[in-house]
Amino acid sequence: MAGEVFESEKSQSRYADTRWDSNRAKPAPGSEVPVILDGGPPAYWWLDHYPRLAERAQELGMVDIIQRPGDTIFVPSGWWHATLNLPESSEDVTVACTRNIFPAETLDFVFPEMKKSDPAFARAFLEILQEKRPELMRFLPAASETSKPELVGEDPSWQLPRRHFSSLSLAECRRRFIRPKQPLIIEGLDPYLVSPETCHLSRDFLSRHFGEKMVAVFRNFRDPKQRDAEDEMEVMRLSQALSQLQRGGCEGLYLYDVSLPLKLPGLLEYLKLPRYFTHCYLQQTMRPHCFSKSWPTLFIGSAGSQARLHVDQWHSHFWMHLISGRKRWSIWHPEDTHLLCPEVLPGKVFPRFPDLSDLEAGKNGADGFHQARRIDVILEEGEVQYFADLEVQIGSFVDLTSSLKCKIRGA
């Protein structure tokens, strides 16, 4: 480029670029460490921090550049930079255009950061890359292929089959699983349930289209000992909740059971329901009722957020489609519910269970807990899990996860 270094301030734009080097940038003991404030006008940075950094320019590897009209500057990935507009004396503004670029050679560096920032978008990007430019996959580490068992669970009387939708007809699903009340995992439905336009409900898509919607956000779902009355709930914009998830440090943050028809009706046009479960009496009543628009619901949970040990109300079936992330499930045979020490409080209809860690430790008189038939499974992206009524379950998110859930009656 034709820009000059350390020129006068008669030009259009000034760049202070610093390539991070852990050896050069490490301050000496007792030296002042530059603090970059989060928020406030950018002028604060130039007034408070730039002079101190400029004094250590050689030590920090800092390059100070004046960009003139007609110059194009290229900043490689990983370079910290700040800009200050300096119009000519005869001008009032500085005009420039920019674009982020993603060369194939930077895939190994950029893609992990993309996945960390927005896993759902990164997954959609990778799928398109595999389809359109498979030769570029050589720049990424080879993904390890692990075969999934067709049956999950060691007890022959309590197992969870995994079936691909292409080999599972509607008639077989109802005959072998829904009517006998047998749980099931269905693979391969994701491209048909979620519109590609959403990039697997990426944070960017949800923020742009529904960011101003108000949602209830729970914060204590990481602690299974908390009771329902102690849930810490805050109402905020969806964009705020997604921003907190992106920044990290949000352990236990959980958008839990958000009704799409009531809270995010516009999202329904991007989603379809599995045909296996569309025959539902909750949606086929002659007159509207208080639950007509309760489902499907959306879950977005940070890593480690979890639901407590419970059985769903009404003894209803339900299905859950995992759009992104991973979710660990533990389910118990309904005939062994008594071994989980259920308790029905006065005035309540549905049982409450002790904390799972207490049951596993044999507390609360749970001497027979380990005799209960149990299945542990991790639900992966794109899979649909079906549960029958009376099955006791607990779920926890392994990664940042988004999923859809729907109750069904009389299917």
Side-chain angles (χ1 to χ4, degrees):
M1 59 162 283
E4 303 172 31
V5 179
F6 296 110
E7 278 290 340
S8 66
E9 296 187 358
K10 287 182 60 181
S11 304
Q12 289 278 31
S13 184
R14 186 170 193 148
Y15 281 78
D17 293 356
T18 304
R19 177 66 175 179
W20 175 258
D21 187 314
S22 59
N23 295 322
R24 288 183 296 174
K26 186 175 181 181
S31 63
E32 185 179 4
V33 179
V35 178
I36 306 301
L37 298 178
D38 183 13
Y44 287 178
W45 186 90
W46 288 94
L47 292 173
D48 298 338
H49 303 294
Y50 173 75
R52 288 185 289 146
L53 292 173
E55 293 175 358
R56 303 170 55 192
Q58 186 173 1
E59 173 191 353
L60 297 175
M62 176 174 163
V63 180
D64 208 0
I65 302 170
I66 298 295
Q67 184 180 18
R68 294 185 177 279
D71 290 345
T72 299
I73 184 170
F74 167 69
V75 182
S77 61
W79 284 70
W80 294 84
H81 50 279
T83 61
L84 178 65
N85 292 321
L86 303 170
E88 298 279 4
S89 57
S90 59
E91 301 286 344
D92 295 328
V93 296
T94 296
V95 180
C97 64
T98 186
R99 181 180 181 180
N100 286 7
I101 59 174
F102 191 178
E105 292 77 11
T106 64
L107 268 171
D108 61 335
F109 172 76
V110 177
F111 185 75
E113 297 299 319
M114 178 194 296
K115 191 172 182 179
K116 187 187 305 180
S117 174
D118 196 336
F121 175 81
R123 178 184 166 205
F125 174 84
L126 189 61
E127 291 172 353
I128 296 174
L129 195 69
Q130 288 173 326
E131 178 185 355
K132 304 294 185 181
R133 299 292 301 276
E135 73 278 6
L136 299 183
M137 298 303 295
R138 60 189 174 88
F139 291 103
L140 293 173
S144 57
E145 293 290 338
T146 56
S147 59
K148 301 175 183 178
E150 295 183 359
L151 285 174
V152 181
E154 299 178 357
D155 192 324
S157 66
W158 185 232
Q159 292 182 314
L160 179 61
R162 179 181 275 112
R163 295 284 299 273
H164 194 274
F165 82 93
S166 60
S167 64
L168 180 66
S169 68
L170 178 59
E172 183 188 4
C173 183
R174 289 183 177 175
R175 183 179 66 253
R176 290 191 56 188
F177 301 104
I178 296 179
R179 290 170 187 158
K181 302 178 182 179
Q182 295 295 321
L184 169 70
I185 294 177
I186 305 175
E187 297 179 326
L189 285 173
D190 191 57
Y192 306 97
L193 302 185
V194 183
S195 169
E197 186 179 344
T198 70
C199 293
H200 302 294
L201 294 190
S202 70
R203 300 177 210 175
D204 179 68
F205 173 84
L206 291 173
S207 294
R208 282 190 290 110
H209 291 266
F210 308 100
E212 295 302 309
K213 297 289 187 178
M214 304 300 292
V215 294
V217 178
F218 295 87
R219 295 185 177 275
N220 66 345
F221 273 81
R222 189 174 178 83
D223 185 357
K225 294 182 180 296
Q226 296 278 10
R227 295 301 181 187
D228 292 340
E230 299 168 333
D231 286 342
E232 300 172 7
M233 188 268 289
E234 180 181 354
V235 177
M236 64 175 68
R237 289 182 175 86
L238 179 59
S239 58
Q240 291 178 281
L242 296 172
S243 177
Q244 291 188 26
L245 288 169
Q246 189 163 2
R247 288 200 302 265
C250 53
E251 291 185 351
L253 188 67
Y254 201 176
L255 277 72
Y256 179 81
D257 225 6
V258 179
S259 169
L260 296 186
L262 296 177
K263 298 297 184 181
L264 301 171
L267 188 55
L268 291 173
E269 67 179 273
Y270 299 98
L271 306 171
K272 294 182 179 179
L273 305 184
R275 66 170 185 156
Y276 302 108
F277 314 120
T278 53
H279 183 66
C280 174
Y281 290 152
L282 279 175
Q283 305 298 325
Q284 296 179 351
T285 57
M286 181 180 299
R287 298 176 181 176
H289 53 82
C290 57
F291 296 105
S292 296
K293 295 185 177 181
S294 294
W295 293 281
T297 56
L298 176 68
F299 293 73
I300 302 178
S302 59
S305 56
Q306 57 189 272
R308 304 170 192 90
L309 188 65
H310 68 284
V311 62
D312 271 25
Q313 298 181 11
W314 309 341
H315 299 162
S316 60
H317 306 342
F318 76 88
W319 59 265
M320 174 172 283
H321 173 60
L322 198 66
I323 301 172
S324 64
R326 294 181 297 163
K327 185 171 184 176
R328 179 184 294 111
W329 285 90
S330 296
I331 58 175
W332 286 262
H333 198 291
E335 295 178 359
D336 298 337
T337 302
H338 63 285
L339 299 175
L340 277 62
C341 303
E343 176 188 16
V344 180
L345 299 178
K348 301 292 184 179
V349 178
F350 305 102
R352 186 179 71 173
F353 297 88
D355 176 53
L356 180 59
S357 61
D358 291 340
L359 290 173
E360 292 175 334
K363 300 179 181 179
N364 301 313
D367 298 330
F369 170 75
H370 293 286
Q371 300 175 14
R373 286 165 286 182
R374 172 178 179 174
I375 298 174
D376 296 307
V377 63
I378 292 182
L379 198 65
E380 304 283 353
E381 293 178 334
E383 294 182 333
V384 175
Q385 184 156 294
Y386 159 74
F387 283 134
D389 63 346
L390 289 177
E391 290 170 358
V392 184
Q393 84 263 177
I394 182 172
S396 62
F397 291 154
V398 181
D399 308 313
L400 175 65
T401 306
S402 59
S403 56
L404 294 176
K405 176 182 178 181
C406 195
K407 291 183 184 289
I408 50 177
R409 290 287 289 174

